[in-house]
């Protein structure tokens, strides 16, 4: 299964190169940066032992630096207090980088071409905590459209991008991040039971894209595909959505190859 950055409970092979030797001449700043890199690239919250082992730091040193990062708000402990994960402040820094003019201008250009081809509004979405964040949005010129502003947060369990992100998580992690049953209902088609949601997520994992069939907003169809970074980790979703009956499930599925081509273009622009 492809990987989603900071989500799936598997160890990234790329972390093997992030090793320093305790007692080497590495500066304290280098040690802190390596800790932040390991936490940012991890697909699940990490224990002190995980972090010290992957970097090659003695536990007391790693513990002291982690406490400093927690105190400064860059890292936070999970609900159990035993694992470390990126804080909201740290995530916002990443969002800020994605929003810089040079990166965003390339992304917007790709999305405008996508909107012209698909004929519906397109969004560039990222995972932000336990919600989906609409980072960029290009509106269709069609007279009838759905109004969702950039910067808006939407749920994971009933949106195309949200379910796509969930498809890269373990079942335990999904239940931890989404919450207990019944899941919040937004329309008559919202899946409120894990038995239904997990079956849908299994299907998404197999087909590589996700659909929202009026599950979040009445009369709204959406389709989303993953966007991967240089390490092949999914860090965003590229989505198109429109009102029914103009944008049907059939049309949404037919747009998947176009969305995938645009996602690949985004991936190449980020690697340049």
């Amino acid at each position: 299964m492809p990987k989603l950055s900071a989500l799936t409970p598997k160890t990234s092979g790329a972390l093997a190169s992030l090793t320093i030797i305790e007692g080497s001449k590495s500066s304290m700043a280098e040690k802190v940066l390596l800790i932040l890199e390991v936490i940012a690239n991890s697909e699940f919250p990490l224990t002190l032992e995980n972090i010290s082992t992957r970097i090659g730091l003695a536990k007391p040193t790693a513990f002291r630096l982690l406490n400093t990062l927690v105190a400064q708000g860059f890292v936070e402990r999970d609900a159990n207090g035993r694992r470390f994960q990126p804080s909201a402040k740290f995530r916002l820094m990443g969002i800020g980088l994605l929003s810089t003019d040079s990166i965003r201008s390339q992304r917007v250009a790709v999305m405008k071409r996508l909107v012209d081809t698909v004929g519906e509004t397109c969004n560039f979405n990222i995972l932000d905590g336990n919600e989906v964040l609409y980072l960029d949005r290009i509106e269709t010129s069609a007279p009838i459209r759905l109004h969702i502003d950039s910067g808006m947060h939407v749920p994971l369990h009933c949106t195309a991008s949200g379910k796509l992100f969930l498809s890269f998580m373990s079942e335990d992690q999904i239940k931890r991040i989404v919450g207990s049953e019944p899941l919040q209902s937004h329309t008559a088609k919202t899946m409120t039971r894990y038995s239904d949601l997990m079956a849908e997520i299994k299907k998404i994992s197999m087909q590589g894209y996700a659909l929202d069939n009026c599950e979040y907003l009445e009369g709204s169809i959406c389709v989303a595909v993953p966007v991967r970074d240089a390490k092949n980790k999914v860090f965003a979703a590229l989505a198109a959505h429109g009102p029914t009956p103009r944008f049907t499930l059939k049309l949404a599925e037919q747009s998947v190859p176009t969305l995938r081509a645009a996602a690949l273009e985004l991936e190449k622009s980020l690697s340049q």
Side-chain angles (χ1 to χ4, degrees):
M1 181 185 294
K3 298 177 179 178
L4 174 61
S5 180
L7 289 182
T8 53
K10 298 180 181 177
T11 301
S12 173
L15 294 178
S17 62
L18 295 176
T19 303
I20 61 177
I21 304 301
E22 181 69 17
S24 71
K25 295 182 179 180
S26 298
S27 70
M28 199 60 66
E30 289 175 314
K31 293 180 174 70
V32 169
L33 289 172
L34 283 172
I35 288 175
L36 287 173
E37 185 175 5
V38 167
I39 292 174
N41 286 330
S42 177
E43 297 145 1
F44 60 102
L46 296 173
T47 64
L48 171 63
E49 184 175 1
N50 292 149
I51 295 168
S52 62
T53 300
R54 293 184 185 189
I55 300 177
L57 279 176
K59 283 186 181 180
T61 303
F63 184 70
R64 176 166 50 83
L65 294 177
L66 281 165
N67 279 339
T68 299
L69 290 169
V70 170
Q72 294 299 318
F74 292 102
V75 174
E76 65 185 19
R77 295 176 182 269
D78 67 2
N80 295 324
R82 299 180 60 186
R83 296 175 182 270
F84 298 90
Q85 61 193 14
S87 66
K89 177 180 178 179
F90 196 21
R91 293 197 301 270
L92 285 172
M93 289 174 64
I95 293 171
L97 289 172
L98 285 173
S99 301
T100 57
D101 289 343
S102 59
I103 295 175
R104 186 174 183 274
S105 62
Q106 296 180 67
R107 183 166 66 241
V108 168
V110 172
M111 293 175 66
K112 284 182 177 179
R113 292 193 293 272
L114 179 61
V115 170
D116 289 340
T117 303
V118 176
E120 298 294 348
T121 296
C122 293
N123 310 303
F124 182 84
N125 307 325
I126 61 174
L127 182 68
D128 186 22
N130 61 351
E131 295 179 303
V132 174
L133 170 63
Y134 281 68
L135 190 62
D136 267 319
R137 177 179 175 84
I138 303 298
E139 293 276 2
T140 177
S141 59
I144 300 176
R145 67 192 75 170
L146 302 167
H147 295 284
I148 299 177
D149 297 327
S150 296
M152 180 177 175
H153 288 81
V154 296
L156 290 169
H157 70 285
C158 56
T159 57
S161 293
K163 290 187 293 181
L164 184 70
F165 290 138
L166 291 178
S167 72
F168 295 93
M169 301 182 193
S170 68
E171 184 171 349
D172 287 344
Q173 193 170 15
I174 290 170
K175 291 181 177 179
R176 185 167 62 248
I177 198 171
V178 174
S180 58
E181 293 181 328
L183 308 181
Q184 184 176 359
S185 178
H186 294 270
T187 73
K189 292 188 176 182
T190 302
M191 286 174 277
T192 60
R193 296 293 175 185
Y194 277 113
S195 56
D196 297 323
L197 181 61
M198 295 310 300
E200 174 77 357
I201 287 172
K202 182 178 180 180
K203 179 180 177 182
I204 292 167
S205 296
M206 295 177 62
Q207 65 192 16
Y209 65 89
L211 294 167
D212 166 9
N213 182 17
C214 306
E215 297 159 45
Y216 178 57
L217 294 173
E218 292 283 1
S220 170
I221 299 288
C222 184
V223 57
V225 301
V227 182
R228 295 177 172 84
D229 63 16
K231 297 178 181 179
N232 202 36
K233 294 180 181 178
V234 174
F235 74 97
L238 187 61
H241 70 79
T244 57
R246 187 179 72 215
F247 196 50
T248 62
L249 283 176
K250 182 178 180 179
L251 287 174
E253 291 189 290
Q254 288 175 348
S255 71
V256 168
T258 304
L259 282 164
R260 283 176 170 160
L264 181 60
E265 194 174 351
L266 288 175
E267 293 166 4
K268 290 180 177 177
S269 70
L270 287 170
S271 64
Q272 292 175 351

